[in-house]
C-alpha cells in the first residue's frame, strides 16, 4: 500500500515512538509476507492474506483519497483508516493445511464418540422395550409343562378371543395344582383380578430381557418407561445449559471428557438399578451427557477444517460414523440378552474416551477467546508441522497481533443477550417461528426414531435397523440439495413430505404399506432435522447468534420430552401416533415458508441488519428459479466461511456462512494522516454497542 505523504505532528514523544514502532512492525511483516518461500507461501501476496472488513454501518462513508488504493483505505470523517491489517483464522487455515493429516486424524477420532452418541441416545429405547405377548404369572401352576393348559386355567379371554395380558382368575390355584383332573376347574365365569405375581413374556418374540420385563412396567404401570425417557430429556436440557457454560469457561476438551465421564457413571449405575426410582435417576445423569459427548468433538473437528471442507465433514461424519452405529445398536443389545449386561458392556468404549484429555488438542479458537494467544499459536504451528506445511514466522506474528487487537476489543464491546432479539418486531417474529419450527421438527424426528420400536413388534430389531439406515441417504441428499434449492424450500418440501407420508401410514390398513410409508416419513424427518438448525444460525444476526441458536436448541429438547408420550399413544392406536406426527410435520413445513431465505444473501451481522433481513422477500421467493433466483450484485469483498476469529459456539457448528463486519474506532478529528499512521497509533477495532447507541 502506498504511504500518504502528509504527516500528522505528534503531541508528545511517546506517541511518536509508538507510531514509529508500529510502522516498523507493519513494514517488517509486509516485507516478510512478500518473500517467496519454497513452501506453501510461494506465489502468495499480502493481499491474499488480508481480511477485508467492510464497514457498512455508517451510510456517510466518503470515498477514499486520490492518493490511496481503492479497497484498502476507507475514509471516515477526515481520517483514512486501513481496513486490511488483520489476519483471520480462516485465512491461516489454507497456509497450515485445510484438510491434511492433522484434520484427518481428528476426523477419525469422531468414530468412538459417534458410538457413544448412538448408545446414549438409543440405548434406553432397547432397555425399555415392551413385548407384545405376555400374561399373568401364577407360581402355583409354574410346574405345568403345557403352556396352553396353564393359560386356560388362569387367564381369561378378551372379547376378541385373545388371552388377557393384565388379568387372571381369582381362584384357588393350590387346589388346582394338586388336582388329579384339572379340567374340572376350567370355568370362564370365575371373577378376575389384576396380575399379582408378575408376568410371563414370550422369549421367542423378545429374546432380549428389558428393564420393562424385569420390573413389570406393563398394564397399569406401562407409563413408567415413558416417564423414564422424559426424565432423560430433562437431563439433556440441564446438561446442555451446564456444559455450554463449562465449555466457555474451561474449554472444549474439558466439557467433552466430563460429559463422557458422566455418561460412564450413569450407564454403570443404570446396570445396578433395582427399582424405577434408581433407574430414572441414572437415566437423568446419562441424559445430561447427551449431545455434549458428541457435539464437542464435532465442533472441534470443524474448527480445524478449512471452510471449503466443512460442509463435507459436517454431513459425512454423521453419514459414515453415526448412522452405522445406530444401525448396529439393536444387534448389540440383542447379543447381550439382558439390559443390565448391555448397559455395562457399552460403557467400555465410554471409558476409553477419557483418554482424549491427553490425545486431543484444545480448540485454538477457544484459547484465543480466553486470552491464551501464545498457546493457540503454538498449537497452530504444530498443525502446520503435522501437515508438512512451511509457514513463515512473520505470518504467525501477524496472526498473534490480529488476535490481540481484534478479539480483545470484540469481547469487551459485546453487550447483547437473548432479549435483544425480541426488541425488533421482525427479528422477534423470526425467532418465534424458528422456535416453533424447531420444536415441531425435533418432536417429529425423535417420534419417528422411537416409533420404530413399536411399529413392528414381531421384527422390532430388523425394522429399527432399516429405519436407522435412512440416515445415510438423508445426509447425502442434504449435501446435494441444500446449496442448490435453498434452506426455505428444502425445509418446506421435506418437512411436509414427512408429514404427508406419516398421514398416509396412519390411514393405511395394510401393515406392510403402513411400515413403508412410516419409513418414508422417517427418511424425510432426518433431512429436515439437519436443515433447520443450520438455517436458524444463518437467520439470526452474528451478535446474538450463539445465544439465540442455543435457546432454540434447548427448546427442541423441551419438545423431545413430549415424543415419548406421543409414541405412548401407540398403546391406544398406532394410527393416532402417526396422525400426530403427520400433523406436526405439515405444521412445521408450512411455518417454514414464513422465514426468509439465506442462500445467496448477505447474512445479518448487527441487530439493525436482522431487523431488515428478508424484508424484500416474498412467500414465492426462490434462490434457484423465479423471483430471487438472481444473485444481487454487490461490491466485491473477501468472505470467509466459518466464524473467523470469533469462537465457534456449541450451536453454531452447522452454519456454513458466518461473516462479521468489524467496526473501526476512529480517532478525534485531526489533520489528514496516512492509513499506516492511523493503524499504528490506534490499532483498535471495537464492536458497535447498539444498546447504548454510541460508539
Amino acid at each position: 500500500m502506498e504511504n500518504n505523504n502528509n504527516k500528522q505532528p505528534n503531541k508528545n514523544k511517546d506517541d511518536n515512538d509508538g507510531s514509529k514502532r508500529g510502522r516498523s512492525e507493519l513494514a517488517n511483516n509486509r516485507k516478510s509476507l512478500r518473500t517467496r518461500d519454497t513452501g506453501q507461501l510461494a506465489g502468495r501476496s499480502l493481499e491474499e492474506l488480508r481480511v477485508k472488513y467492510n464497514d457498512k454501518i455508517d451510510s456517510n462513508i466518503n470515498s477514499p483519497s486520490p492518493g490511496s488504493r481503492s479497497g484498502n483505505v476507507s475514509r471516515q470523517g477526515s481520517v483514512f483508516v486501513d481496513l486490511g491489517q488483520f489476519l483471520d483464522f480462516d485465512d491461516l487455515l489454507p497456509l497450515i493445511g485445510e484438510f491434511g493429516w492433522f484434520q484427518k486424524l481428528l476426523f477419525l477420532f469422531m468414530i468412538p464418540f459417534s458410538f457413544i452418541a448412538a448408545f446414549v441416545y438409543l440405548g434406553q429405547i432397547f432397555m425399555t422395550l415392551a413385548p407384545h405377548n405376555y400374561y399373568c404369572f401364577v407360581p402355583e401352576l409354574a410346574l405345568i409343562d403345557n403352556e396352553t393348559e396353564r393359560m386356560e386355567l388362569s387367564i381369561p379371554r378378551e372379547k376378541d378371543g385373545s388371552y388377557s395380558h393384565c388379568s387372571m382368575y381369582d381362584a384357588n390355584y393350590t387346589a388346582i395344582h394338586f388336582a388329579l383332573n384339572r379340567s374340572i376347574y376350567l370355568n370362564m365365569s370365575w371373577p378376575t383380578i389384576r396380575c399379582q405375581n408378575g408376568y410371563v413374556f414370550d422369549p421367542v418374540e423378545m429374546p432380549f430381557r428389558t428393564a420393562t420385563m424385569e420390573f413389570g412396567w406393563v398394564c397399569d404401570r406401562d407409563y413408567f418407561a415413558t416417564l423414564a425417557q422424559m426424565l432423560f430429556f430433562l437431563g439433556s436440557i440441564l446438561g446442555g445449559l451446564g456444559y455450554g457454560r463449562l465449555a466457555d469457561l474451561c474449554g472444549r476438551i474439558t466439557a467433552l471428557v466430563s460429559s463422557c465421564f458422566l455418561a460412564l457413571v450413569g450407564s454403570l449405575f443404570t446396570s445396578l438399578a433395582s427399582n424405577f426410582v434408581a433407574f430414572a435417576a441414572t437415566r437423568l445423569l446419562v441424559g445430561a451427557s447427551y449431545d455434549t459427548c458428541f457435539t464437542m468433538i464435532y465442533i472441534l473437528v470443524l474448527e480445524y477444517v478449512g471452510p471449503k471442507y466443512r460442509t463435507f465433514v459436517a454431513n459425512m461424519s454423521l453419514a459414515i460414523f453415526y448412522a452405522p452405529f445406530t444401525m448396529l445398536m439393536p444387534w448389540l443389545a440383542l447379543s447381550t440378552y439382558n439390559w443390565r449386561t448391555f448397559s455395562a458392556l457399552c460403557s467400555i468404549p465410554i471409558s476409553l474416551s477419557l483418554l482424549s484429555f491427553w490425545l486431543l488438542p484444545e480448540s485454538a479458537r477457544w484459547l484465543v477467546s480466553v486470552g491464551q494467544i501464545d498457546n493457540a499459536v503454538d498449537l497452530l504451528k504444530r498443525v502446520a508441522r503435522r501437515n508438512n506445511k512451511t509457514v513463515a514466522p512473520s505470518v504467525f506474528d501477524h496472526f498473534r497481533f490480529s488476535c490481540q487487537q481484534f478479539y480483545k476489543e470484540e469481547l469487551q464491546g459485546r453487550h447483547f443477550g437473548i432479549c435483544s432479539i425480541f426488541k425488533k418486531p421482525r427479528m422477534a417474529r423470526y425467532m418465534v417461528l424458528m422456535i416453533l419450527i424447531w420444536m415441531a421438527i425435533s418432536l417429529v424426528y425423535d417420534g419417528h426414531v422411537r416409533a420404530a420400536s413399536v411399529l413392528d413388534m414381531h421384527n422390532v430389531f430388523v425394522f429399527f435397523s432399516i429405519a436407522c439406515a435412512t440416515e445415510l441417504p438423508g445426509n447425502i441428499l442434504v449435501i446435494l440439495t441444500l446449496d442448490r434449492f435453498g434452506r426455505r424450500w428444502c425445509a418446506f418440501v421435506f418437512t411436509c413430505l414427512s408429514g404427508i407420508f406419516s398421514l398416509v401410514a396412519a390411514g393405511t390398513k395394510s401393515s406392510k404399506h403402513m411400515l413403508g410409508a412410516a419409513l418414508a416419513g422417517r427418511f424425510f424427518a432426518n433431512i429436515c432435522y439437519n436443515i433447520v438448525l443450520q438455517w436458524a444460525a444463518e437467520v439470526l444476526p452474528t451478535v446474538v447468534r450463539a445465544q439465540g441458536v442455543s435457546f432454540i436448541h434447548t427448546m427442541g429438547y423441551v419438545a423431545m420430552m413430549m415424543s415419548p408420550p406421543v409414541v405412548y399413544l401407540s398403546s391406544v392406536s398406532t394410527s393416532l401416533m402417526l396422525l400426530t406426527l403427520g400433523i406436526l410435520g405439515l405444521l412445521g413445513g408450512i411455518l417454514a415458508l414464513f422465514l426468509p431465505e439465506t442462500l445467496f444473501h448477505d447474512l445479518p451481522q448487527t441487530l439493525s441488519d436482522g431487523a431488515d433481513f428478508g424484508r424484500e422477500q416474498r412467500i414465492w421467493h426462490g434462490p434457484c428459479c423465479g423471483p430471487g433466483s438472481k444473485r444481487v450484485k454487490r461490491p466485491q469483498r473477501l468472505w470467509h466461511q466459518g466464524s473467523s476469529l470469533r469462537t465457534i459456539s456449541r450451536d453454531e457448528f452447522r452454519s456454513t456462512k458466518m461473516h462479521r463486519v468489524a467496526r473501526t474506532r476512529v480517532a478525534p478529528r485531526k489533520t489528514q494522516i496516512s492509513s499506516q499512521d492511523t493503524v499504528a497509533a490506534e490499532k483498535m477495532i471495537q464492536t458497535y454497542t447498539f444498546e447504548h447507541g454510541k460508539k
Side-chain angles (χ1 to χ4, degrees), residues 45 68 71 100 107 139 165 234 264 294 324 340 374 380 385 474 512 525 535 635 637 646 649 663:
S45 64
S68 61
F107 186 66
H165 292 307
L234 176 61
L264 172 64
F294 180 75
R340 295 183 185 273
D374 291 336
L380 294 173
R385 289 195 300 268
K512 292 183 178 179
W535 192 15
R637 49 181 94 161
R646 188 185 311 278
S649 76
R663 176 81 176 167

Side-chain angles (χ1 to χ4, degrees), residues 1-241:
M1 180 181 299
E2 297 178 8
N3 293 330
N4 195 328
N5 294 326
N6 296 328
K7 301 294 182 178
Q8 177 186 7
N10 294 314
K11 292 183 178 181
N12 52 58
K13 183 178 180 180
D14 293 338
D15 289 342
N16 188 27
D17 293 340
S19 180
K20 290 181 178 180
R21 286 195 300 269
R23 289 196 300 270
S24 177
E25 178 183 355
L26 290 174
N28 292 335
N29 286 342
R30 294 182 179 185
K31 182 177 180 181
S32 299
L33 288 172
R34 282 195 294 265
T35 302
R36 294 182 179 270
D37 293 333
T38 57
Q40 295 300 314
L41 289 178
R44 295 182 180 269
S45 64
L46 180 61
E47 298 297 326
E48 294 177 80
L49 301 176
R50 287 177 176 166
V51 179
K52 302 294 185 181
Y53 293 97
N54 180 35
D55 190 352
K56 62 178 181 180
I57 299 174
D58 289 339
S59 59
N60 59 346
I61 297 178
N62 297 325
S63 59
S65 66
S68 61
R69 294 177 58 181
S70 176
N72 292 331
V73 178
S74 176
R75 181 175 180 177
Q76 299 185 10
S78 60
V79 181
F80 293 96
V81 182
D82 193 344
L83 300 178
Q85 295 300 318
F86 290 89
L87 185 62
D88 193 286
F89 193 94
D90 285 338
D91 290 310
L92 195 61
L93 282 175
L95 304 179
I96 65 176
E98 294 185 275
F99 197 59
W101 283 108
F102 181 87
Q103 289 86 353
K104 291 174 182 176
L105 287 175
L106 277 183
F107 186 66
L108 294 178
F109 261 107
M110 298 180 71
I111 296 177
F113 294 98
S114 298
F115 173 84
I116 295 172
F119 167 69
V120 169
Y121 180 44
L122 302 177
Q124 184 166 314
I125 296 178
F126 299 103
M127 295 180 193
T128 57
L129 277 178
H132 183 67
N133 297 322
Y134 56 92
Y135 58 92
C136 297
F137 173 67
V138 181
E140 293 85 351
L141 304 181
L143 296 179
I144 299 178
D145 296 332
N146 192 324
E147 184 179 16
T148 302
E149 183 181 1
R150 290 200 310 267
M151 297 179 68
E152 288 288 344
L153 291 170
S154 59
I155 308 300
R157 291 182 180 269
E158 302 290 349
K159 293 181 180 181
D160 59 358
S162 62
Y163 288 103
S164 174
H165 292 307
C166 305
S167 300
M168 57 183 287
Y169 290 126
D170 187 9
N172 185 357
Y173 289 107
T174 303
I176 297 175
H177 172 71
F178 290 104
L180 297 177
N181 184 10
R182 300 189 183 97
S183 60
I184 62 176
Y185 289 96
L186 296 175
N187 187 352
M188 300 180 63
S189 62
W190 281 344
T192 60
I193 57 175
R194 309 298 291 180
C195 297
Q196 303 295 309
N197 301 289
Y199 304 87
V200 177
F201 300 96
D202 185 1
V204 177
E205 178 205 10
M206 185 63 67
F208 177 71
R209 184 167 179 80
T210 66
T212 298
M213 299 164 64
E214 181 174 329
F215 297 127
W217 296 338
V218 293
C219 297
D220 56 347
R221 304 177 68 195
D222 60 351
Y223 64 91
F224 277 26
T226 300
L227 182 58
Q229 295 189 21
M230 293 179 66
L231 291 174
F232 173 87
F233 284 113
L234 176 61
S236 300
I237 297 173
L238 300 176
L241 297 175

Side-chain angles (χ1 to χ4, degrees), residues 479-554:
I479 299 175
L480 298 177
T481 59
L482 193 59
D483 290 334
R484 177 171 299 180
F485 300 102
R487 286 77 167 123
R488 186 165 165 268
W489 286 105
C490 284
F492 167 72
V493 172
F494 293 136
T495 309
C496 285
L497 284 176
S498 177
I500 291 172
F501 277 105
S502 298
L503 294 178
V504 171
T508 302
K509 295 182 178 180
S510 172
S511 60
K512 292 183 178 179
H513 294 163
M514 180 195 69
L515 293 178
L519 281 176
R522 164 70 185 277
F523 170 73
F524 290 112
N526 297 335
I527 299 174
C528 58
Y529 187 81
N530 290 336
I531 292 174
V532 175
L533 191 58
Q534 171 176 338
W535 192 15
E538 296 173 348
V539 171
L540 292 176
T542 301
V543 293
V544 291
R545 179 173 294 135
Q547 299 174 71
V549 177
S550 179
F551 183 76
I552 295 172
H553 200 59
T554 303

Side-chain angles (χ1 to χ4, degrees), residues 550-566:
S550 179
F551 183 76
I552 295 172
H553 200 59
T554 303
M555 294 305 296
Y557 284 137
V558 174
M560 283 184 174
M561 287 183 62
M562 302 308 299
S563 65
V566 170

Side-chain angles (χ1 to χ4, degrees), residues 424-440:
K424 304 287 185 178
R426 181 176 294 273
M427 285 178 56
R429 183 169 73 250
Y430 290 163
M431 186 67 176
V432 172
L433 284 172
M434 286 186 291
I435 290 174
L436 294 177
I437 294 170
W438 181 243
M439 292 182 70

